[in-house]
Amino acid sequence: MGRQVLLIEDEPNITEAIRFLLTRDGWQVATHADGGNAVDVIRAIRPDLVILDVMLPGKSGIDIVRDLREIEQLRALPVLMLTARGQLRDREMAERAGVTRFMTKPFSNAEVLAAVRDLNAQASGG
Amino acid sequence: MATLNLLILVSLAYVALLFIIAFVADRLAVTGRSTWLRTPLVYTLSLSVYCTAWTFYGAVGYAARSGLEYVTIYLGPTLVMVGWWWGLRKLVRIGRSQRVTSIADLISSRYGKSNLLAIGVTVLAVIGVTPYIALQLQSITLSFSIFFRDEGRSYSDTTVVLWVAAGLAVFAILFGTRNLDANERHHGVVTAIALEAVVKLVALLAVGIFVVWGMSGGIAGTMARIDASPIGQWQVDGGRWAAITFLAAAAFVCLPRVFQVMIVENDDERHLRTAAWAFPLYLLLISLFVVPIAAVGLDVLPPGSNPDLFVLTVPLSQGKDGLAMLTFLGGFSSAMSMVIVAAMALSTMVSNQIVMPIWLNARGGGASVSGDVRHIVLLSRRIAIAVIMALGYFYFELSGGGTALASIGLISFAGVAQILPALVGGLFWRGATRAGALAGLSVGFALWTYTMLLPGIGGGVITDALMQNGPFGIGWLRPHALFGIEGMDPTVHAVMWSMSLNATVFCLVSMAGFPGPLERLQGAQFVNVFDHSAGPRGWTGSVAQSEDLMIMSQRIMGAREAVDFFRREAASQGGRGHLPEPTPLFLDRLERELAGSVGAATAHAMIGQIVGGSSVSVEDLLAVANESAQLMEYSSQLEAKSAELSRTARQLRDANAKLTQISLQKDAFLSQISHELRTPMTSIRAFSEILRDTEGLAIEERNRCASIIHDETLRLTRLLNDLLDLSVLENGQVNLNLSRGNLGDVLDRALSTALTGVERPLSVRRRGSAEAVTINTDLDRLAQVFINLIANAQKYCDAERPELTVSVHDLNGKVAVDFIDNGSGIPKEVQAVVFEKFFRISGEKAGGAGLGLAICREIMHRLGGEVAYLGGHSGSAFRVSLLAESEVAAR
């Protein structure tokens, strides 16, 4: 099964941290920092998993997920959403938009790794 | 001795009899069995209160002195009764419909309930009637003195007068103020007066018959004696005749005591029709034997005898003690009836028009008639009677008691006659005004006082010198020759001047002014009294009116309630259907029922309009107006309340909206802060976990992690500092440290701080000359603003060779510092919000939390200046402006 993860995050230090973490765990990590063309990038890369920030320049993470779910081939793509806004309202909105899993910053590294593994296993199994 | 004692005994018995009669009549009136008392005969006889001791004794004296002139005293009232009974009927009707209690009340009612006028009339009446009361005292005293002298006993005028006055006062108080009747009617007194009228008539007729048939041997003998006496030769003075006839007529209408019995005590205006012929007949009978008695008196009595006492002295001289006693009783009756009724009438005026208004005012309103008020009314009347009697007594003492009865009577007549113009004008002329009445009365009163009353009192007040030469030697102001008209009879002179000027002034002032609304209303009520009022009292009506009443009641009570009420009433009357007979009982109940909804006065007026049984008086209308005013007051209060409520509701809504907005802002702010805090914390946590959990981390990697953690920690600290700074600035808790300084120095400092150690160079262009401006402000804070703007330019200017131009210039007394870079600037659509908290141009990730410009704005606000974005430049352009020598208020 594929081990490619696309990380879309505009905060360079966070990007660096996650990339370090996942790379050491054996994942191929691609990164992107802009929301505006995120969907095109996803379509081009066809990752097995997308880690998506909410507050992105150009387009919000929520809108990106909505767009993804409109696209036939990307409907089942697992999306792990990271957000600095941890309110219930934001979580609900994300789930309605089609986010697979929702995680509030600041997260622990173990949590992220577990979530990535879990989502990948589900996608493979299903 | 025996005669005198008998006389006193008989007098006391007579008084007791009158008392009993009055008492019984009052009782009957209360129990409603007094119909036999309310006859035209009693009414006519009670009018004889006009005939006082002056008539009884004085007429003979008058005839003995002035021949037939005495007839004028009877002629006046006769002319009024016969020729002007319709005018009297109008007075009676008005008296009833307006519930008039005295002539002062009538005049004040007519002229818009004027208190001043009422007081004026009352005072005039009291002063005018005082000589008259003195006259009665004098006549009783004189008649007593005859008996005393007859007995040969020592006699003191003063003592007797005092006793007589006190006795009469007690009598008047006992009679006239025994109880308080709403309509001011005194059936007992009226009945007693009617009896007295009979006594005086019988006494005079008896003396007359004795003189004619007992002493002169029949009519022929009497005529011969008259011819032989000086009476036959008296010349008739036309002027005096006319003047005195007029005076008597005027007085008959205006005298308070006559007004009392004729108008106030009137039970039925039809009685007036009988009185119109019966009273002149009474006058004729009482005057029939005046000339014979005078002629015989002059003939048989020694010269120098007082002709005023012929009625007594002639029978006494013939040894007819019994007849003399009857005559004494007749004279006593005349005096007593006059004094009692006059005192009653005057005390009513004094208490109603003077004492009560003052008392009610002093109590501050509250016009309800409680037992307390009743007590005050009775007390004030009793005191008034005592005072009036005392005035009469003092007048008697002052005038020396020497003046002939007739001339005192004329003074009184002329006094009260001053009311006539206002009275008659008020009855027939709608244009008559309060001011006119007041002016006329005042002028007439003054002239009467000057030309008649004061000269009448004699010595002291008006000196002989004044009579002869006028005041201050002004001839044309002599009391008996005003304006140079000399040689006139004093009475005619006084009457002519006072009455003519009174009437003239009354008319002129009335025409010059304009009646007030209440005056006009009352004027119409008075002048057109026959159109406005119906005869009978109480409610009466027909079944047809029942239907109208039903329609009206349905509107007020509601259809079902009205029908129920009417059906119940009809059933209780024993009838069928839903319309009861409009009996007084039913109408009373209906009125009470309606009063619950619309108020008593309105209910009364409404029923009055439909049934027509009673006029809608001005009081009714005013009461209706009061009720309406109260309703309007209520409704306007309700309106005000409702407006207040909706205003409060609007305020609440506004406040609520504001709170909601604030709450939303707070949520957004917290959410923003949370985001801004979580982001660096995420990095810190991630890298610290990497450091902790990762084994065999290369030294470079470890250093890298540590430096990121360090950077992010600094970022957090910066953010917290900014937040705290902003919070302090926004809450106004900031302490400004004002000092003078050079703007250029501040810029130098800011530039070196902002640009020290930056990676990307920013070239700055300045013009030093313009920067030499002294400013008085918090220099550190100002530098903070400059640093922020310079740092922004350094971070965000996207030009290849970033360049910042700092220019200083004067702007209407303010110093403007512009920071313009050569980048692509801030997009137009967000220029308006660059100063909002957490604003960041999307895509910019220069580590700021978006609070810098918000802080700049707050600082400039505190410093009394401002920072604004300047449109119209290609690059970003900010302008900081502040007062050159600004006196920054420490806010």
Side-chain angles (χ1 to χ4, degrees):
Chain A
M1 204 52 232
R3 303 272 287 172
Q4 183 163 35
V5 175
L6 174 61
L7 171 60
I8 306 177
E9 165 66 70
D10 65 333
E11 195 64 44
N13 288 343
I14 296 177
T15 307
E16 192 175 336
I18 293 175
R19 196 218 304 263
F20 179 87
L21 207 60
L22 293 182
T23 309
R24 279 185 77 94
D25 200 45
W27 300 81
Q28 285 184 300
V29 180
T31 60
H32 184 66
D34 183 52
N37 58 355
V39 176
D40 294 337
V41 172
I42 294 168
R43 238 207 281 234
I45 296 177
R46 299 299 299 268
D48 300 305
L49 178 80
V50 173
I51 300 177
L52 185 62
D53 186 23
V54 177
M55 298 271 278
L56 288 169
K59 194 179 231 175
S60 85
I62 300 281
D63 288 342
I64 293 167
V65 175
R66 269 194 205 111
D67 289 354
L68 286 182
R69 297 317 183 201
E70 295 290 309
I71 299 165
E72 183 63 38
Q73 303 94 312
L74 298 178
R75 194 157 290 161
L77 179 67
V79 174
L80 170 60
M81 181 163 275
L82 302 175
T83 179
R85 300 178 169 218
Q87 285 170 335
L88 191 63
R89 210 155 42 95
D90 300 310
R91 181 186 285 270
E92 281 169 5
M93 204 153 70
E95 277 166 5
R96 264 205 308 280
V99 167
T100 321
R101 188 162 297 190
F102 188 89
M103 196 171 281
T104 307
K105 293 176 182 174
F107 43 79
S108 77
N109 293 350
E111 266 182 305
V112 176
L113 272 179
V116 169
R117 287 175 189 155
D118 193 30
L119 286 177
N120 189 252
Q122 274 180 22
S124 311
Chain B
M1 189 70 198
T3 321
L4 183 63
N5 285 343
L6 189 64
L7 178 80
I8 292 171
L9 205 66
V10 167
S11 300
L12 289 177
Y14 180 61
V15 168
L17 173 72
L18 289 176
F19 226 133
I20 290 165
I21 284 178
F23 186 76
V24 170
D26 264 344
R27 265 295 143 87
L28 288 176
V30 168
T31 52
R33 283 178 290 145
S34 57
T35 40
W36 63 273
L37 288 175
R38 296 175 178 169
T39 56
L41 180 67
V42 171
Y43 180 67
T44 306
L45 287 174
S46 72
L47 286 182
S48 78
V49 77
Y50 172 77
C51 305
T52 63
W54 174 25
T55 319
F56 194 84
Y57 294 116
V60 173
Y62 203 157
R65 289 191 195 92
S66 315
L68 281 177
E69 197 176 289
Y70 80 93
V71 172
T72 53
I73 302 299
Y74 302 101
L75 202 53
T78 303
L79 287 176
V80 170
M81 286 309 280
V82 174
W84 205 60
W85 67 273
W86 46 275
L88 294 178
R89 193 166 72 102
K90 195 168 190 177
L91 269 178
V92 169
R93 180 73 64 88
I94 289 168
R96 167 175 305 163
S97 69
Q98 300 280 327
R99 301 223 168 87
V100 160
T101 59
S102 66
I103 189 162
D105 188 23
L106 181 104
I107 298 273
S108 102
S109 273
R110 163 60 182 85
Y111 296 104
K113 320 253 162 187
S114 158
N115 228 355
L116 190 59
L117 205 47
I119 292 172
V121 173
T122 302
V123 169
L124 176 64
V126 169
I127 295 177
V129 172
T130 298
Y132 218 143
I133 288 173
L135 178 70
Q136 309 307 314
L137 297 179
Q138 185 180 3
S139 70
I140 292 177
T141 311
L142 279 176
S143 57
F144 253 118
S145 71
I146 296 297
F147 285 92
F148 270 95
R149 276 192 209 111
D150 212 38
E151 299 278 326
R153 288 173 57 167
S154 66
Y155 168 79
S156 155
D157 252 5
T158 316
T159 321
V160 172
V161 166
L162 195 60
W163 277 108
V164 168
L168 285 176
V170 169
F171 208 93
I173 288 170
L174 288 177
F175 257 126
T177 64
R178 249 176 13 99
N179 51 14
L180 201 58
D181 182 66
N183 296 318
E184 303 293 353
R185 297 198 181 188
H186 310 80
H187 291 285
V189 178
V190 169
T191 310
I193 286 165
L195 179 71
E196 288 183 315
V198 174
V199 171
K200 29 185 189 190
L201 182 61
V202 168
L204 259 188
L205 286 178
V207 174
I209 288 166
F210 168 70
V211 164
V212 172
W213 281 280
M215 292 175 68
S216 310
I219 294 168
T222 310
M223 293 307 280
R225 272 191 153 167
I226 292 170
D227 284 342
S229 75
I231 297 172
Q233 280 101 57
W234 284 111
Q235 293 298 309
V236 169
D237 176 346
R240 261 184 82 85
W241 265 70
I244 296 173
T245 304
F246 171 74
L247 261 192
F252 184 66
V253 177
C254 297
L255 276 170
R257 65 172 193 280
V258 179
F259 191 90
Q260 176 79 28
V261 292
M262 185 158 63
I263 312 296
V264 180
E265 307 278 358
N266 178 285
D267 270 319
D268 187 334
E269 69 185 44
R270 282 167 300 187
H271 292 174
L272 204 56
R273 198 168 297 182
T274 309
W277 59 265
F279 186 61
L281 183 67
Y282 182 90
L283 292 179
L284 177 69
L285 289 176
I286 211 165
S287 61
L288 198 57
F289 293 106
V290 167
V291 173
I293 294 169
V296 170
L298 286 173
D299 192 21
V300 298
L301 292 174
S305 302
N306 187 348
D308 285 332
L309 293 171
F310 280 177
V311 185
L312 265 182
T313 47
V314 168
L316 276 178
S317 70
Q318 304 298 312
K320 299 288 179 191
D321 283 1
L323 184 58
M325 211 169 284
L326 177 64
T327 313
F328 175 81
L329 280 187
F332 185 60
S333 295
S334 311
M336 193 167 74
S337 59
M338 180 276 166
V339 169
I340 288 169
V341 179
M344 241 167 59
L346 288 177
S347 71
T348 304
M349 283 158 71
V350 169
S351 84
N352 284 11
Q353 317 298 336
I354 298 180
V355 177
M356 290 319 287
I358 292 172
W359 190 73
L360 288 175
N361 266 345
R363 273 184 79 232
S368 64
V369 178
S370 60
D372 199 20
V373 174
R374 195 186 125 84
H375 179 70
I376 295 287
V377 169
L378 283 181
L379 186 68
S380 68
R381 287 194 188 172
R382 284 170 188 159
I383 292 171
I385 287 175
V387 170
I388 289 161
M389 292 306 297
L391 283 176
Y393 169 74
F394 284 123
Y395 184 92
F396 173 80
E397 286 292 308
L398 213 67
S399 64
T403 328
L405 296 184
S407 56
I408 300 186
L410 285 179
I411 291 174
S412 253
F413 273 21
V416 294
Q418 302 305 327
I419 302 172
L420 192 70
L423 179 67
V424 174
L427 282 185
F428 297 100
W429 182 32
R430 289 184 62 173
T433 67
R434 189 176 80 99
L438 261 178
L441 264 181
S442 309
V443 168
F445 179 65
L447 280 171
W448 166 73
T449 307
Y450 186 60
T451 57
M452 249 182 142
L453 180 67
L454 295 182
I457 291 173
V461 188
I462 299 250
T463 56
D464 285 348
L466 192 146
M467 293 300 289
Q468 297 297 321
N469 306 320
F472 316 111
I474 304 170
W476 55 271
L477 279 181
R478 273 173 293 163
H480 284 168
L482 275 186
F483 310 115
I485 295 185
E486 298 205 41
M488 213 178 209
D489 180 87
T491 306
V492 178
H493 172 267
V495 170
M496 184 203 75
W497 277 121
S498 63
M499 289 307 286
S500 62
L501 284 180
N502 179 341
T504 309
V505 168
F506 168 65
C507 291
L508 288 180
V509 174
S510 285
M511 283 190 286
F514 202 71
L518 191 56
E519 279 181 78
R520 270 192 287 167
L521 214 54
Q522 286 289 79
Q525 290 275 328
F526 274 58
V527 174
N528 307 323
V529 66
F530 291 114
D531 306 337
H532 289 299
S533 65
R537 271 179 174 277
W539 299 126
T540 55
S542 67
V543 179
Q545 289 165 344
S546 283
E547 244 181 279
D548 291 342
L549 286 171
M550 171 84 139
I551 291 165
M552 178 187 77
S553 306
Q554 282 181 332
R555 288 197 188 150
I556 294 168
M557 301 159 65
R560 175 173 289 278
E561 284 79 0
V563 171
D564 284 353
F565 178 77
F566 275 63
R567 190 169 289 147
R568 263 202 317 279
E569 289 295 318
S572 75
Q573 285 180 3
R576 289 163 165 276
H578 64 277
L579 283 183
E581 290 286 328
T583 58
L585 186 68
F586 163 65
L587 292 171
D588 274 353
R589 277 202 206 134
L590 180 61
E591 187 180 324
R592 270 204 298 281
E593 198 73 23
L594 293 179
S597 304
V598 293
T602 311
H604 186 80
M606 285 172 134
I607 293 184
Q609 276 298 339
I610 290 181
V611 179
S614 165
S615 68
V616 179
S617 73
V618 175
E619 279 91 347
D620 293 342
L621 287 175
L622 287 177
V624 169
N626 277 340
E627 282 175 0
S628 315
Q630 268 175 10
L631 281 178
M632 275 159 71
E633 174 81 358
Y634 282 140
S635 109
S636 73
Q637 276 174 5
L638 278 178
E639 244 170 63
K641 277 254 159 42
S642 134
E644 201 180 303
L645 273 178
S646 60
R647 199 163 50 244
T648 311
R650 201 166 51 242
Q651 283 169 351
L652 275 176
R653 229 175 12 249
D654 291 351
N656 202 22
K658 210 168 192 171
L659 279 177
T660 310
Q661 201 193 351
I662 287 173
S663 167
L664 283 177
Q665 281 175 351
K666 189 201 74 185
D667 284 353
F669 183 68
L670 280 177
S671 175
Q672 276 285 357
I673 289 184
S674 146
H675 181 262
E676 297 301 328
L677 290 173
R678 280 169 196 273
T679 301
M681 276 161 67
T682 305
S683 300
I684 292 168
R685 183 172 181 184
F687 282 104
S688 58
E689 282 185 9
I690 289 170
L691 279 177
R692 187 191 65 192
D693 299 337
T694 315
E695 288 167 17
L697 208 55
I699 189 81
E700 304 85 49
E701 286 174 321
R702 191 176 296 164
N703 288 343
R704 171 78 184 140
C705 289
S707 89
I708 290 176
I709 290 172
H710 181 249
D711 287 351
E712 293 290 353
T713 312
L714 288 181
R715 184 173 158 194
L716 261 180
T717 311
R718 234 181 6 255
L719 175 66
L720 283 173
N721 284 341
D722 281 357
L723 275 175
L724 287 174
D725 205 13
L726 192 61
S727 161
V728 165
L729 284 166
E730 280 186 336
N731 289 332
Q733 294 160 340
V734 62
N735 286 321
L736 292 176
N737 189 12
L738 298 186
S739 59
R740 278 164 185 276
N742 188 308
L743 182 60
D745 296 347
V746 179
L747 276 171
D748 288 345
R749 212 168 73 209
L751 280 165
S752 72
T753 309
L755 298 178
T756 302
V758 296
E759 293 158 11
R760 220 164 61 114
L762 175 75
S763 62
V764 178
R765 297 205 326 202
R766 291 168 68 182
R767 270 181 297 147
S769 60
E771 292 171 0
V773 180
T774 307
I775 47 172
N776 182 17
T777 186
D778 187 325
L779 300 175
D780 291 337
R781 284 291 187 181
L782 187 61
Q784 190 186 348
V785 172
F786 291 166
I787 290 166
N788 226 303
L789 294 174
I790 296 162
N792 277 354
Q794 192 271 323
K795 280 183 248 174
Y796 303 124
C797 181
D798 52 0
E800 208 165 308
R801 297 167 57 83
E803 199 176 271
L804 177 67
T805 308
V806 179
S807 60
V808 176
H809 44 93
D810 183 80
L811 198 79
N812 302 328
K814 284 184 170 180
V815 183
V817 188
D818 292 351
F819 296 84
I820 302 168
D821 65 23
N822 60 345
S824 55
I826 293 174
K828 222 183 178 85
E829 61 271 19
V830 295
Q831 282 176 6
V833 292
V834 289
F835 293 103
E836 296 303 318
K837 280 172 275 194
F838 301 112
F839 170 79
R840 268 190 306 229
I841 291 170
S842 59
E844 300 288 354
K845 277 287 170 183
L851 293 174
L853 285 177
I855 290 171
C856 289
R857 185 179 60 175
E858 284 302 323
I859 290 173
M860 289 318 295
H861 183 60
R862 294 291 153 205
L863 295 182
E866 63 175 335
V867 53
Y869 189 80
L870 281 179
H873 292 268
S874 58
S876 301
F878 289 89
R879 167 170 292 171
V880 174
S881 53
L882 70 161
L883 292 169
E885 281 276 357
S886 59
E887 291 187 14
V888 182
R891 286 184 237 186

